[in-house]
Amino acid sequence: MNSLQDSQQQAANKKKPKHFNVYVMIFAFIIVAAILTYIIPGGAYDRVDQDGRSVILPETFHYIDGENVGLLGIFNSIHTGMVNGANIIFFVLIVGGAFGIFTATGALDAFIYTLSRKMANKEKLLIPVLMLFFAAAGALMGMSDETIVYVAILAPMAIALGFDALTGFAIVVLGAGVGFTAAVMNPFTVGIAQGISELPTFSGIGFRIILFVILYLAAVFYVMRYASKVKKNPELGEYGKFGRKADTSALNKTQKMTSRHKLVLSAFLINYIILIIGVLKYGWYITEIAGLFLLFGVVMGILGGISFSGIADNFILGAKDLLGGALIIGFAQAILVIFNTSGMMDTLLYHASNALGMIPAALSAVGMLFLQMGINFFVPSGSGQAALTMPLMAPLSDMIGVTRQTAVLAYQFGDGISNTILPTGNIIALLAIAGIGYGKWVKWFLPFFLIQIGIAIIALIIAQLIQYGPF
């Protein structure tokens, strides 16, 4: 067993830290929602169809006799929520399965290993080039949990080059993190949030590309500034479980890029080119996007030399990895089922719009950002959070003068920025791989966390001023 496998096995053997179970948390929210049906009166707005989307008529609110939800209704709402969220749930599972086939070809791992080896002798390019790759993966593939294996590679390599484990860790985690936050074409966050908000899929991409560049450059500067300090004074470094002399044998023994790997990566790139054309020119939605990913998943499996049975097996494994997040979508929809059945949804919209209507729309968008960050503590799944919050945020944004696209932007910032600091996410597992304490990470990361919030606030204000849309 090589050192990479050793490090993964050691991390797996460690006792997992206690954390909130998101299903228990959401089920508690479902119960609270059911109780509120006996307290909060039902209400209703008249709605009209405007350019293919449902829009509330603000002056038409009136109270109604809402339906109270009993014990059986609580459990019925979960099934109904699963049915209502089926299109999103199956989208997540199909795209996850396609990524499972892609990962099984080994092309992604081979590319990262090859890139890491070539960069090992070019220290000045190491950080920006590798961070660009991980940022692109976060922005296009929603790379998050998958970064665990690469932390085990980059952390010891960074130490061997005269940096420390924290530098290698940050290359992976901050790189993927800022890409996930910018979410240029992240199907699991922006794709779902825009669909729920009735926005064209991946619309507003130009503004997100600008944000991607800004966040990426800020992250590179932050990591390189720290790495140069460690290079000059190694005593300032954090070496985690690897020590000052890290073993990089796993990197040296890694397979090289083969012709099959190159074909698979080419197919993956073509998939995204066709996706962009389909979305921008033909208005593709999640059905077409899921179909495209499934088609190219099979193609990449064949090009990667995987048997048909192997393709099917790896599709199931890829879908299995995202099953938890997909089910969260259904549970989150159960809360909305109760809200809509009882009429509480419109009552909440009425009172929220009255409260937020007193402040400028740009500041309301900033308020949405911090609300989404708070919700992410309890619902660390990006797709689950979109399913829970956007059915409320989209119509609310219409009523308070915030564009729906800006509301989606507030969601993606709130979700992405907090992912790399909240202990309820996957950051604890990532830190365990590197042997870095959570407290040390928070102390190191906090200034950049605040920088990202500053960028987000400015971006949201600009988005509202330019009426970031199409609506």
Side-chain angles (χ1 to χ4, degrees), residues 347-385:
T347 302
L348 291 173
L349 284 171
Y350 174 71
H351 291 290
S353 62
N354 285 342
L356 293 175
M358 304 295 291
I359 61 177
L363 295 182
S364 296
V366 174
M368 288 180 177
L369 162 69
F370 288 103
L371 178 61
Q372 294 284 8
M373 290 178 67
I375 292 172
N376 195 32
F377 180 88
F378 301 103
V379 187
S381 164
S383 53
Q385 186 174 338

Side-chain angles (χ1 to χ4, degrees), residues 18-80:
K18 293 183 179 180
H19 62 282
F20 289 115
N21 184 297
V22 67
Y23 294 102
V24 174
M25 187 65 62
I26 293 181
F27 187 69
F29 290 159
I30 293 173
I31 294 174
V32 170
I35 293 172
L36 289 176
T37 63
Y38 294 87
I39 302 172
I40 299 176
Y45 280 104
D46 293 338
R47 288 169 167 81
V48 296
D49 186 77
Q50 186 179 98
D51 300 324
R53 70 185 190 279
S54 177
V55 178
I56 286 174
L57 297 176
E59 303 301 325
T60 62
F61 178 80
H62 55 281
Y63 288 104
I64 61 172
D65 292 328
E67 180 180 331
N68 297 331
V69 178
L71 179 62
L72 183 58
I74 291 174
F75 291 90
N76 288 347
S77 69
I78 295 176
H79 176 265
T80 305

Side-chain angles (χ1 to χ4, degrees), residues 86-98:
N87 61 334
I88 301 175
I89 292 171
F90 286 113
F91 169 77
V92 169
L93 294 178
I94 290 173
V95 175

Side-chain angles (χ1 to χ4, degrees), residues 115-126:
L115 184 63
S116 299
R117 281 199 304 271
K118 290 183 177 180
M119 290 295 103
N121 297 321
K122 302 174 182 177
E123 297 176 21
K124 292 183 178 179
L125 292 176
L126 174 73

Side-chain angles (χ1 to χ4, degrees), residues 100-371:
I101 299 170
F102 173 51
T103 302
T105 65
L108 183 62
D109 286 347
F111 179 77
I112 293 175
Y113 284 123
T114 301
L115 184 63
S116 299
R117 281 199 304 271
K118 290 183 177 180
M119 290 295 103
N121 297 321
K122 302 174 182 177
E123 297 176 21
K124 292 183 178 179
L125 292 176
L126 174 73
I127 293 174
V129 170
L130 289 178
M131 287 188 72
L132 179 59
F133 169 77
F134 286 112
L140 300 177
M141 297 171 52
M143 178 180 279
S144 179
D145 295 345
E146 301 85 352
T147 55
I148 286 180
V149 63
Y150 306 120
V151 166
I153 299 168
L154 271 296
M157 187 185 77
I159 295 172
L161 294 174
F163 302 119
D164 65 349
L166 190 52
T167 300
F169 182 86
I171 288 173
V172 180
V173 175
L174 256 65
V178 296
F180 193 93
T181 299
V184 177
M185 292 183 67
N186 185 340
F188 304 116
T189 57
V190 164
I192 291 175
Q194 288 183 330
I196 294 172
S197 303
E198 301 178 286
L199 285 159
T201 307
F202 299 135
S203 56
I205 191 172
F207 194 62
R208 291 197 300 279
I209 289 174
I210 294 172
L211 291 173
F212 174 86
V213 173
I214 292 171
L215 288 167
Y216 163 73
L217 292 176
V220 168
F221 175 79
Y222 192 78
V223 176
M224 290 187 71
R225 183 170 175 270
Y226 170 77
S228 64
K229 290 181 179 179
V230 173
K231 190 81 170 179
K232 293 177 182 178
N233 185 2
E235 297 298 325
L236 298 175
E238 170 58 46
Y239 300 92
K241 68 179 182 182
F242 300 102
R244 293 280 289 272
K245 294 184 179 180
D247 180 11
T248 58
S249 58
L251 186 61
N252 297 328
K253 295 178 181 178
T254 305
Q255 60 177 329
K256 296 180 179 180
M257 286 278 291
T258 65
S259 297
R260 283 190 179 276
H261 291 150
K262 293 176 182 178
L263 286 173
V264 170
L265 291 171
S266 297
F268 183 76
L269 180 62
I270 292 171
N271 172 65
Y272 268 95
I273 292 173
I274 295 175
L275 175 60
I276 293 171
I277 295 172
V279 165
L280 298 182
K281 188 173 181 179
Y282 299 106
W284 284 2
Y285 187 47
I286 60 176
T287 297
E288 293 81 6
I289 296 172
L292 181 69
F293 272 102
L294 181 57
L295 169 62
F296 271 87
V298 174
V299 170
M300 288 185 288
I302 294 172
L303 293 175
I306 302 176
S307 67
F308 288 115
S309 294
I311 290 172
D313 289 340
N314 284 291
F315 175 84
I316 293 171
L317 290 174
K320 179 182 175 183
D321 288 340
L322 293 180
L323 181 61
L327 290 177
I328 289 173
I329 294 170
F331 272 72
Q333 286 289 315
I335 299 174
L336 301 174
V337 168
I338 293 174
F339 278 11
N340 287 319
T341 300
S342 65
M344 281 197 304
M345 175 67 84
D346 281 7
T347 302
L348 291 173
L349 284 171
Y350 174 71
H351 291 290
S353 62
N354 285 342
L356 293 175
M358 304 295 291
I359 61 177
L363 295 182
S364 296
V366 174
M368 288 180 177
L369 162 69
F370 288 103
L371 178 61

